[in-house]
Amino acid sequence: MKQATSPAGVERQDACPTRLTINGEIVELAIPPWTSLLDLLRERLALTGTKKGCDHGQCGACTVLIDGRRINSCLKLAVTLDGTEITTIEGLAGVDGSLHPLQEAFIRHDGFQCGYCTPGQICSAQGLLNEAQATTRAEIREHMSGNICRCGAYPNIVDAIEDVIHKRNSDPRMPE
Amino acid sequence: MKEMKSQTLQAQEGRNAGFGTALSRVDGAAKVTGQAKYAAEFTRPDLLFGVVYTARIAKGKIKRIDTSRALAMDGVVDVLTHENSPRVTHFDLKLKDMSAPTVGHPFRALDSDDILYPGQPIALVVAETLEIARAAARLVDVDYEWQDFETDLKRATPFVPKVPGVGERKPKSRGKAEAAFASSPVQITGDYHLMPEHHNPMELFASTVFCEDDGRLTIYDKTQGVKNSHCYICNAMGFKRAKVRVLSPFVGGAFGSALRPQYQLWLAALAAKKLERSVRVVMTRQEMFGHGYRPECYNRIQLGADDQGHLKAIINSAVTGTSSYENYTESIVSWGGMLYQCDNAKLDYQIARVDTATPCNMRAPGGATGTNMFEIAMDELAYASNVDPLELRLRNYAERHQLKDRDYTSKALRDCYQRGARKFGWEKRSPEPRSMREGHELIGWGMATGVWDAMMAPTSVRATLHADGSLEVGTATADIGPGTYTMMTQIASDATGIPVERITAKLGDSDLPFAPVEGGSATAASAGTAVQKACHALMKQVLEQANQLENSPLSGARMEDVDLVGGRIQLSENPAQGMSFSEVFTAAGLDSLEAKKFGRPRMTRKARNTHSAVFVEVRVDEEVGMARVTRVVNAVAAGRIINPKTARSQIIGGVVFGIGMALEEESLADHRIGRWMNHNLAEYHVPVNADVPDIDVIFVEEEDHEASPIGVKGVGEIGVCGTAAAIANALFHATGKRLRDLPITIDKLVTD
Ligand code: FES
Ligand code: FES
């Protein structure tokens, strides 16, 4: 079991015991009621793969999966998630270190530049796969529009997701 | 940390990936698994968290600042204000970072009771946790003295900047433009306007300052240049240079906003200095509207032509905003005057003070604004003279740089026009506005030219070859997203024949050899040249070592006699005769060999520029006025392309910036209170996935070793130049409405 690094004393008085499964590992924590899932992951559990881009539910950088559904972790108070199963970008690769098909496809298609939105994009894309609502490029675009990529890697992100949906292993389209 | 294995990256192992190879990013696995760490993600158990308190007024003075309630909160360590901050340097000159405007007084946070602009930081609350610091910041209480302010560029007073910044010299006029315009049979006059834009990289600005036991500081900073941050913060706070190390291994986008050290670095260092404890300061998204941005611009363009569309006169005058305390200038009016054959051009540029933070470079600074506006004017001229927009550009094509009156090192723009047009199907366009439609959608096709500088700056690289045959190349440059790690690896592989997985590129560390800030599309040419030079020097050393060995299979061989293949040095005539690097090292009893080289631009009097031709299709819903970009072809001539995969991504990213500029992005101020109103990502619109169509990128290669020794011109910025204009022109073609005010939002499209 993982122990959260313990912050200042003030919080402990108000902290609520919470049990989460994070990337397959059960974690029992005393969490102050005001701590967002995002801050919990980044500041207490050293899972900094989940990014903060706005802290207001406006950018999607903090997307993780809760019980298989994609959510903005900056908008969730961690104490409300007792008993849930959370998957972050750190939990997508196989235990042997082999990458998830989405991760491979993002590399193959250059679906990122700076990489800051990428964990959120990939978790969001996994959520989209779980929802099984989008198959065409237009649908993928629409359903991925909660994740901003300021580097503008969108067309490549769509290529990567489309590849995984249709179980292709295509080479990225190259410029002439 | 478990080792991540990417099949995609493994598949490219063993390859000598030279120029032109579409290598997947060498740091790809780190980025897709969340292992890549950005400035706010380094931590230590005793780390303190700083939260900023910003001024609530536009301009004035702090009459009283009461921090007692904040300080009383459990877990709060200190609240820094101008009243209790450590002293910093008095000299402005010491604060002139590499990207600071030449004229002005660089901003100093918490230095006095003056409030110069809305969103200025005036206190830093430091606490044991982020949440405590944030809660306590709400308890800071300030009395202000308001002063008159102006945030509206329209009402500010323009003036000609006396000492323009480097590279933004007063544009040179030629001929008699006014007389030529008056006598031109075809004339157009347009007043163009661009709203302010904020960079909004996805990563929040952050600096983590660790105080080491021995008194040193280790700083993780979001920056486009670790050397810049290092020098700046040492000068500002009197730290000894050898005692400070600035690191920035990954940067979550910047687009110019991290060229200058931003105030979170100043605040974190100030707190660490005062408290002698490790501190992290992260800006909020809202606070990121309180630093540099792309300035608003008013631009009048008048074009005179004969009835065949040949340009006779260009009159162009522009005003951009700067702050009250620095003269930030851009090159706005030079682009059209440079690009087209025209004997008479009058070019004027002024700036005007508004009470905001000093604007700063944003992706293609000046060029994005100036080129896009000029290219809308060219479209207007095409319609006024009844010439196809593409044909108009060809009729006015200039073989020489018109401002400098010099040849170009290369200019394959003609090919860009041709190949772009063919791919797009331009010849099928019906010229009349509103003449193409499908159902309730009006279809518009527009095009524009893009132009940007091909720059290069002196950069130093150290290359180290180890006895196991692995190679390290390092320079203090940055990788803000273009793929600098990959580019350096690739050029090193090209120069040494060592497969990519045996090469490590190092950057973002002030202990590495000098590199300037990553900006201006100059890094590939600059760092790339230095990597190549250092690797060549290193290979020469290896050969010399091999030459000297007893019974050397390579004795007497010179560089031109050998090939470098897969970590081996062998005779070209007889590949079987050679040695692996490891064999040389073992035989010579060496652990490693090192070469450090400086890359600098070639001397040439010729002009160095990148060019592009952009073709765009838009569809506009006739009833609700919603406009979508549905097709983009961007043909780019930017010298030699090192990596078509990452270079294409750069162009796509630039085009997406262009879509934002054309249709979405604007920072709106309420001029009555002098504050940005939409300082968040819900109200400041940047393009999202559904706004961006598939984008065709064509690279028209230029063989050009004058632009830079490795023939590279850079692709970071050219993608945004011309794109916004092509969209605006397509909107005119679709709707018959000429809109000169960017961004072209729905309200402008539906009103008459
Ligand atoms: S950080 Fe959660 S949506 Fe932006
Ligand atoms: S890769 Fe930089 S924001 Fe998406």
Side-chain angles (χ1 to χ4, degrees), chain B residues 547-581:
Chain B
N547 284 156
Q548 289 160 18
L549 297 172
E550 244 175 87
N551 303 323
S552 170
L554 295 164
S555 84
R558 288 158 309 163
M559 269 330 268
E560 48 281 23
D561 308 327
V562 298
D563 286 333
L564 302 161
V565 183
R568 233 177 97 83
I569 187 161
Q570 59 198 31
L571 293 180
S572 317
E573 302 267 284
N574 179 11
Q577 198 171 328
M579 295 176 84
S580 74
F581 297 151

Side-chain angles (χ1 to χ4, degrees), chain B residues 105-430:
Chain B
H105 311 284
F107 174 66
R108 304 144 178 267
L110 314 191
D111 195 49
S112 78
D113 57 357
D114 287 326
I115 293 169
L116 302 173
Y117 67 87
Q120 174 182 323
I122 57 171
L124 183 77
V125 180
V126 185
E128 302 284 350
T129 73
L130 173 63
E131 289 105 329
I132 295 171
R134 196 167 53 202
R138 296 183 175 248
L139 303 176
V140 173
D141 190 31
V142 187
D143 284 342
Y144 299 101
E145 178 190 311
W146 284 75
Q147 288 171 0
D148 289 344
F149 60 88
E150 187 56 79
T151 50
D152 189 355
L153 181 63
K154 212 170 28 225
R155 292 199 299 245
T157 315
F159 63 96
V160 177
K162 267 212 200 76
V163 190
V166 181
E168 286 116 359
R169 270 150 295 177
K170 184 171 160 30
K172 229 170 87 198
S173 297
R174 56 184 184 264
K176 294 195 171 65
E178 263 139 9
F181 179 76
S183 63
S184 294
V186 182
Q187 300 176 345
I188 66 112
T189 297
D191 285 310
Y192 303 87
H193 176 232
L194 175 77
M195 286 294 283
E197 293 181 346
H198 278 81
H199 309 67
N200 278 307
M202 288 316 297
E203 181 196 11
L204 301 173
F205 268 85
S207 299
T208 305
V209 178
F210 292 133
C211 297
E212 309 290 356
D213 292 338
D214 60 2
R216 288 166 189 272
L217 296 180
T218 307
I219 303 178
Y220 289 91
D221 185 34
K222 177 179 177 71
T223 176
Q224 290 174 247
V226 280
K227 292 280 188 191
N228 198 26
S229 293
H230 180 251
C231 183
Y232 170 83
I233 209 68
C234 290
N235 281 344
M237 314 231 161
F239 301 130
K240 290 222 167 34
R241 290 200 188 190
K243 296 209 151 187
V244 176
R245 183 176 179 196
V246 180
L247 295 136
S248 190
F250 291 99
V251 180
F255 315 107
S257 60
L259 283 171
R260 301 189 70 182
Q262 293 295 1
Y263 70 66
Q264 91 289 342
L265 172 64
W266 177 282
L267 293 177
L270 207 59
K273 184 179 163 98
K274 181 172 182 202
L275 304 170
E276 296 184 351
R277 287 194 56 185
S278 301
V279 182
R280 176 193 299 151
V281 177
V282 184
M283 287 190 197
T284 61
R285 179 58 59 185
Q286 284 69 16
E287 283 156 12
M288 280 167 60
F289 283 74
H291 60 216
Y293 64 98
R294 193 196 295 284
E296 186 172 7
C297 176
Y298 287 97
N299 192 358
R300 164 165 286 205
I301 302 172
Q302 297 182 286
L303 301 177
D306 67 16
D307 52 12
Q308 300 298 306
H310 296 109
L311 278 167
K312 296 292 163 215
I314 296 173
I315 305 174
N316 190 355
S317 62
V319 181
T320 57
T322 187
S323 68
S324 64
Y325 54 95
E326 282 175 312
N327 287 4
Y328 173 78
T329 57
E330 284 187 347
S331 192
I332 304 280
V333 295
S334 48
W335 306 100
M338 143 198 330
L339 198 52
Y340 296 110
Q341 185 74 53
C342 179
D343 293 338
N344 307 292
K346 186 170 182 307
L347 310 173
D348 290 299
Y349 174 63
Q350 293 182 302
I351 56 177
R353 299 200 188 287
V354 284
D355 292 306
T356 64
T358 306
C360 74
N361 293 331
M362 177 165 163
R363 205 165 196 170
T369 308
T371 318
N372 283 316
M373 289 174 169
F374 198 89
E375 286 297 302
I376 302 176
M378 284 297 280
D379 200 62
E380 299 201 38
L381 184 66
Y383 278 92
S385 55
N386 214 3
V387 179
D388 173 81
L390 173 56
E391 173 59 24
L392 184 84
R393 269 99 177 160
L394 290 169
R395 283 188 193 172
N396 290 290
Y397 196 88
E399 299 294 347
R400 282 162 69 77
H401 188 295
Q402 297 297 293
L403 278 187
K404 297 181 179 161
D405 192 23
R406 289 182 192 166
D407 287 336
Y408 288 101
T409 57
S410 59
K411 181 182 176 183
L413 177 58
R414 228 184 263 283
D415 294 347
C416 293
Y417 287 136
Q418 265 154 19
R419 291 182 54 188
R422 197 182 324 130
K423 179 93 199 199
F424 187 83
W426 184 257
E427 81 287 350
K428 294 200 237 24
R429 178 178 184 267
S430 89

